[in-house]
Amino acid sequence: MDASSPAPLSGVTAHPGPQGLQGDGPLRAAAPRQNLFTKYMVATTLVVCLLLAATNGTHLYLSTMRSVAQIEALQRSEASATAVSIGHAIEEIVDEMRWVSLPTAAEGPGELEARRLDFVKLLRQVPAIAEISWYGIDGTQRLRVSRVAIDHMNPGTQARSQPFPFESAVGKPYYGPVHFRGGSEPYMNIAVRLPSGAVVVVELNLNFIGDLVQAVKIGNAGVAFVTDARGMLIAHPDATLVLRRTNLAPTREFTDSLAADGPPKRERGLRHVFVDGLQGQPVLASRAKVDPLGWSVFVELPREEVLAPLYRAIYADLGVLLAALLVSVLAGFLLARRMVRPIRALQVGAAAIGAGQLDHRIDVRTGDEIEALASDFNLMTQRLRDSYATLEQKVAQRTAEVSDQRAVAERADRAKTRFLAAASHDLRQPMHALNLYLGALSMQQLTEPGRRVLVNVRQCAAAMSSLLEALLDISRLDADAMDLKVHDFRLADLLARLEVEFLPQARAKGLRLRVAKSSAWVRSDEAVVERIMRNLVTNAIRHSQSGTVLVGCRHVGQLLRLAVYDQGPGIPDDQRELIFEEFYQLANPERDRTKGLGLGLSIVKRLASLLDASVALKSVVGRGTMFGLDLARAAPPTGNARSANRAEPEPTSIRDALVVVVDDDGMVLKATRELLVQWGCHVLACTSAPEALAALASCPQPPNLLICDYRLPGADDGMAVVEKIREEFNLPIPALIVTGDVLPEQLDQLQALDVTVLHKPVSDGMLRQCVERMLGA
Amino acid sequence: MTMLSMGGLGLAAVPLRARAGSVPKIGILFAGVARRSPTLPGFYERLRELGRVPDQSTQIVLASADGDYARLAPLARELVASRPDVMLCASTPAVIAGMQATRTIPIVMVAVGDPIQQQFATSFAHPDRNVTGPTLLNTALVWKELEALKDLLPKAVTVAAVSNPANPQNGRVLREFEAAASALALQVLPVLAATPEELEAGLKSITRSRPDALMVLPDPFLKAARDRIIDFANRSALPSFFTDAKDVAAGGLLAYGVDVRQEYRRAAEYVDRILRGAKPADLPIQQPSHYELTINAATARRLRLTIPVLLQVRADRIFE
């Protein structure tokens, strides 16, 4: 998503897309932040538990309300039944009063005696009656029978205060207010006006109502009790509450007489069902009215007991909920595992495929979309694997083709190299012989035209020799035949040789060659450096038409630069890279082979890189060119190191020197011999070592110089010949090995043997110089 | 049950299997002879019914004065010193001794005539002191008893009233008795006896005076001497009147009063409630609601007396 887009929704950030689609980060699956398994499990468990809790909660509430209503109904019926039985008990007493007040047979004073007996019987019959009195029509007390006081039979005694309204209706009992004897025991007066106008009054001990309510059993702690119309407690299973004169008016409604018997006033909800009980604890209360008295019967059950089934149900439901939780967790676990497992397998498989394991197969057998997805994955992987296989096959094929082509090319290259080496060698022999013959010829007295021809022939031979040299170098480089022998050497010798070699050519072309003197020492391979310099000087002479070719050296930083200056046409800037390529020649479109093959600078470049030295080039078109080779400087050795290094032979005149020449090539042998004889040497020419030894056996003096071809027929090579002759005379006779071979190990041997090596073809001049130097002349 | 009564002046502690402290301790101060009491077992009986087994789940220390009220005060002090959780004081003299010994240890009274008059409590509904319990409230019953005497012996003129001067309540009852007697045109011959010697002297004086009847006022000492009195009365052909049906069963002629054994059962309920944490001041004093009239028909026959119809109807029980 780009930076200018609005803030992403949280859901989007919470679930980032595949990592592979994002710019940064490695291509791998993102680790999920939330576990699918846990999510499934929690969701399942939550759903099950919520459903259960909701169901159970509803069920609990409804069943509790129902149970409360049932208890309430039971309580009401108990209260009503108690009220009815209290009413009955009172009515029975009233009936007894009526019965005992029936007229007696006796008249006058006997009537009272008879009535007294009846009253005593009533006291026996009804223990609750504490006292019974008889009032005459005039309102005077005629008779009183008591359990405590002595019986009263005193007609005419006016009751000072009657415990009842005397004018009450006939037949309808009067219920006096509840009074508490001694301030404690509840009593009540009942008066009945008889048809005769007399009134019978009883004082009733209300204790017996306590026995009635004690019989009411509601639950374990449920109680029934009775109050009068004022709320005074008159009967309770715990009699002490009555004796203490408990008044319920503060906690119950007693002014509203209609409240009793009707359905209980309460709002919905458990909180409003309960009222304060006698002991202050909340109770479920029901109430019924005692009909004729205005009393109330209460039946109460403590809230704890009412709700006990609810609590039990809650505990049971909690247990069920817990079990359900366990079951749902288990179910969620199994379900989630069932769901998640194939998805996990998919995830793992996708990750494996992503990691490149294309042989991975996702094994999901759920028979649903996930299996379809898995098989799609597998199909995709299969296709990927197939295309991979095809691709690899093609790559292998191409690689094989390329390597075949390369092998062919390498074979061709090796063939070329072999050809070049062989050709160089084979060409070298006649070239070498030609040089020697030309040298010998130049010693002859020739006519002027003959001399001119000879000069021309020699030029042709020199050009050919140079071409051959270049080819040889290239072939040696191609054959990796160059082996560096790095050591400290002084430049003076090398410069001197260059001057000797190139002065004639320069003069012949009308150029001046100046070689500056130097006493500097460098560390490098002397032979390679010399070859580079010869190429550079040859190049300079070849491309200069006039002026001077200067060879010298100068310090460049820590290095010493061997430089060749010419005043030739110069090299354009755009050609400076090209001139180092093989067979590239400036200003030689006609490919004049007297101007060389165009290999010179390419050889220089390759040799310099072999030396790890750099070739400097400065050129101004029309003014001239400078080529420089930068070499590491070395300190000149102390003392006469050079003389110790190389033993100078006794100075021997080239004339009369005894030179042994060993060469299997008859042409070369003859040419060499011819040339040496021309130079005034005594020559012992042999084709092999045994022949040479045999010839030397008759020779009175040791030879002054050995000139040997390297490659000889038979077991011995040039080295062996030199060694044998030196052994024969037990003298370090100077030896010159002339070879057409270029193998490095042979060069090693040659150098170890302290011999001078010349590579064929060798010009007569070079051979002369070399011989002269070796003979110390 | 191993019930040890207090022999002499010593207080014998009751050995208990249960650990002290965790077991509630009930001290009993008994004015009469506890071991011969026909009513005290009612207390134990009810205690057992309430789950308090004496000497197992309840420790009981019994101090019996054996009718010698002079011993009540020191016994009460020793009893209080044994630190009971509640004390049962049987009869008015015992309650007086108990209240003098402690004002804090709850006292359950039993066989007490009038706790308000004796100032054991301020009211029936709210006793407001450390004393509560059932009351006999029997002072006024002498009226009813004399009424019965008059019904049974219409020609009676004098009646001897055996009373214990050491019992303050007996004084009140005696005064009430005299008032009732005068109302019923009877002469009272008071016989005061606080000791067996005094009792013998009194009985001799009765023999000399030859009253028409003999009434024994409710008192623990006189209760303990009941057999002697009944024997004396019957041998002297004196109709004897009591307040307890048990005395009639033992040979007395007539009794009107409260079932005292039942009162001891109710006292046990008070003790139980106090041991369960109730304060005595919060427990109202229960008044008796039922009085019973008992007549011994055999004694009546021996005395050649005819029980009138009214008394036959009124009598709750007639022993043959």
Side-chain angles (χ1 to χ4, degrees), chain A residues 6 95 109 158 169 357 412 484 508 520 542 561 564 638 641 665 708 713 721:
Chain A
D95 286 345
Q158 178 73 44
Q357 297 175 24
L484 291 180
R542 183 175 295 150
R561 174 171 292 173
V564 178
T638 52
D665 190 318
C708 256
V721 172

Side-chain angles (χ1 to χ4, degrees), chain A residues 577-762:
Chain A
E577 292 297 319
L578 294 173
I579 56 168
F580 288 102
E581 291 185 1
E582 287 174 25
F583 303 111
Y584 185 87
Q585 284 177 309
L586 281 176
N588 191 12
E590 69 279 14
R591 300 212 55 89
D592 176 2
R593 289 281 77 87
T594 63
K595 293 181 178 177
L597 288 170
L599 288 171
L601 285 176
S602 101
I603 291 167
V604 164
K605 183 185 170 191
R606 289 165 72 167
L607 289 173
S609 75
L610 206 63
L611 288 178
D612 216 7
S614 60
V615 176
L617 166 61
K618 282 180 184 172
S619 183
V620 180
V621 174
R623 293 279 301 274
T625 304
M626 183 282 288
F627 282 98
L629 179 67
D630 294 337
L631 299 170
R633 279 187 281 163
T638 52
N640 197 359
R642 189 171 173 261
S643 57
N645 228 4
R646 194 177 283 186
E648 288 291 322
E650 283 292 311
T652 306
S653 169
I654 190 167
R655 193 165 289 273
D656 299 327
L658 177 58
V659 178
V660 177
V661 179
V662 182
D663 201 317
D664 62 325
D665 190 318
M667 192 167 59
V668 173
L669 185 67
K670 265 162 79 179
T672 309
R673 183 177 166 228
E674 196 68 29
L675 188 62
L676 288 170
V677 168
Q678 290 278 343
W679 291 344
C681 300
H682 300 288
V683 178
L684 203 60
C686 313
T687 57
S688 67
E691 191 185 332
L693 289 172
L696 281 170
S698 58
C699 194
Q701 60 169 103
N704 298 103
L705 180 67
L706 303 174
I707 297 178
C708 256
D709 186 15
Y710 181 73
R711 184 171 292 173
L712 291 172
D716 297 332
D717 58 9
M719 300 296 306
V721 172
V722 170
E723 277 179 44
K724 280 180 177 172
I725 293 171
R726 281 178 174 173
E727 266 175 36
E728 186 69 26
F729 290 97
N730 198 22
L731 280 172
I733 301 164
L736 178 64
I737 298 282
V738 184
T739 177
D741 286 312
V742 292
L743 301 172
E745 62 272 19
Q746 294 163 354
L747 291 170
D748 284 351
Q749 288 175 358
L750 294 172
Q751 279 182 350
L753 211 60
D754 190 21
V755 296
T756 301
V757 179
L758 286 176
H759 291 276
K760 290 176 184 175
V762 181

Side-chain angles (χ1 to χ4, degrees), chain A residues 116-117 120-121 124 127 145-151 181-185 187 205 207 238 240 243-245, chain B residues 124-126 140-141 143-144 147 151 256 273 282-287 289 291 309-310 313-316:
Chain A
R116 182 188 175 196
L117 187 62
V120 167
K121 284 178 182 170
R124 281 292 311 281
V145 176
S146 166
R147 292 183 188 276
V148 179
I150 55 175
D151 295 349
R181 188 184 278 184
S184 184
E185 298 269 348
Y187 282 81
N205 186 328
N207 267 352
D238 181 2
T240 58
L243 299 181
R244 273 152 64 179
R245 295 213 300 181
Chain B
F124 290 108
H126 300 281
L141 290 188
W143 286 82
K144 208 66 188 166
E147 185 187 64
D151 284 340
Y256 188 65
R273 289 190 70 155
D282 291 339
L283 295 175
I285 294 167
Q286 286 182 26
Q287 303 170 35
S289 60
Y291 304 97
V309 175
L310 192 70
V313 171
R314 187 171 264 171
D316 294 273

Side-chain angles (χ1 to χ4, degrees), chain A residues 230-539:
Chain A
R230 297 165 297 165
M232 290 302 291
L233 192 67
I234 52 180
H236 194 280
D238 181 2
T240 58
L241 291 171
V242 178
L243 299 181
R244 273 152 64 179
R245 295 213 300 181
T246 308
N247 192 346
L248 271 79
T251 56
R252 298 290 199 284
E253 191 67 38
F254 285 98
T255 52
D256 180 9
S257 57
L258 297 175
D261 273 340
K265 283 191 303 180
R266 65 175 157 86
E267 300 165 50
R268 286 290 117 195
L270 282 177
R271 224 176 336 147
H272 304 286
V273 171
F274 299 101
V275 297
D276 286 341
L278 282 180
Q279 263 81 33
Q281 84 282 25
V283 293
L284 180 68
S286 297
R287 183 177 182 180
K289 246 185 170 167
V290 181
D291 228 354
L293 300 165
W295 297 352
S296 294
V297 175
F298 287 92
V299 175
E300 294 186 348
L301 194 62
R303 186 174 63 183
E304 286 70 31
E305 193 170 333
V306 173
L307 296 184
L310 171 68
Y311 294 143
R312 277 199 298 275
I314 285 175
Y315 289 136
D317 278 8
L318 279 179
V320 168
L321 203 61
L322 197 69
L325 186 73
L326 286 173
V327 168
S328 61
V329 163
L330 188 68
F333 177 79
L334 292 175
L335 194 64
R337 200 169 64 159
R338 227 179 125 77
M339 288 290 290
V340 168
R341 240 194 197 165
I343 294 175
R344 282 259 173 85
L346 269 183
Q347 189 194 4
V348 168
I353 293 164
Q357 297 175 24
L358 290 183
D359 53 345
H360 187 93
R361 276 195 64 82
I362 302 171
D363 190 23
V364 173
R365 302 203 187 285
T366 54
D368 52 17
E369 288 88 339
I370 294 175
E371 185 177 334
L373 184 60
S375 54
D376 283 351
F377 254 105
N378 286 336
L379 192 62
M380 187 185 77
T381 315
Q382 177 71 36
R383 297 254 166 88
L384 267 177
R385 198 165 59 210
D386 289 352
S387 51
Y388 249 75
T390 313
L391 195 62
E392 278 177 354
Q393 195 183 341
K394 282 183 179 164
V395 166
Q397 198 179 330
R398 291 277 188 281
T399 309
E401 284 171 15
V402 166
S403 72
D404 282 357
Q405 285 168 358
R406 201 170 119 193
V408 168
E410 279 174 352
R411 267 202 306 280
D413 201 44
R414 279 199 300 277
K416 183 193 84 179
T417 305
R418 270 202 309 278
F419 164 74
L420 274 173
S424 308
H425 182 266
D426 291 348
L427 285 172
R428 209 178 282 140
Q429 298 287 36
M431 194 65 225
H432 184 58
L434 181 64
N435 278 340
L436 298 184
Y437 276 129
L438 283 173
L441 188 59
S442 65
M443 303 295 288
Q444 302 297 315
Q445 295 293 319
L446 293 173
T447 62
E448 192 52 32
R451 182 155 302 275
R452 279 202 300 274
V453 171
L454 181 63
V455 169
N456 287 336
V457 172
R458 289 198 74 139
Q459 280 177 355
C460 286
M464 213 162 130
S465 204
S466 163
L467 291 175
L468 198 57
E469 189 85 351
L471 276 174
L472 204 59
D473 277 347
I474 285 294
S475 73
R476 265 197 297 223
L477 283 167
D478 283 345
D480 285 335
M482 305 296 286
D483 195 36
L484 291 180
K485 296 286 169 196
V486 176
H487 58 90
D488 294 354
F489 63 94
R490 64 175 191 176
L491 288 172
D493 297 342
L494 191 149
L495 291 171
R497 284 200 296 276
L498 286 174
E499 189 171 12
V500 168
E501 183 173 354
F502 290 100
L503 200 56
Q505 290 182 29
R507 283 208 184 121
K509 209 173 172 186
L511 300 170
R512 272 175 295 166
L513 173 69
R514 284 183 54 200
V515 177
K517 298 278 185 275
S518 173
S519 61
W521 285 64
V522 295
R523 175 182 294 263
S524 192
D525 183 305
E526 188 175 2
V528 176
V529 171
E530 184 172 345
R531 211 164 300 152
I532 290 169
M533 291 311 289
R534 283 170 64 194
N535 269 297
L536 290 176
V537 175
T538 303
N539 222 34

Side-chain angles (χ1 to χ4, degrees), chain A residues 1 5-17 33:
Chain A
M1 60 192 74
S5 67
L9 296 172
S10 59
V12 175
T13 48
H15 303 282
R33 267 190 232 168

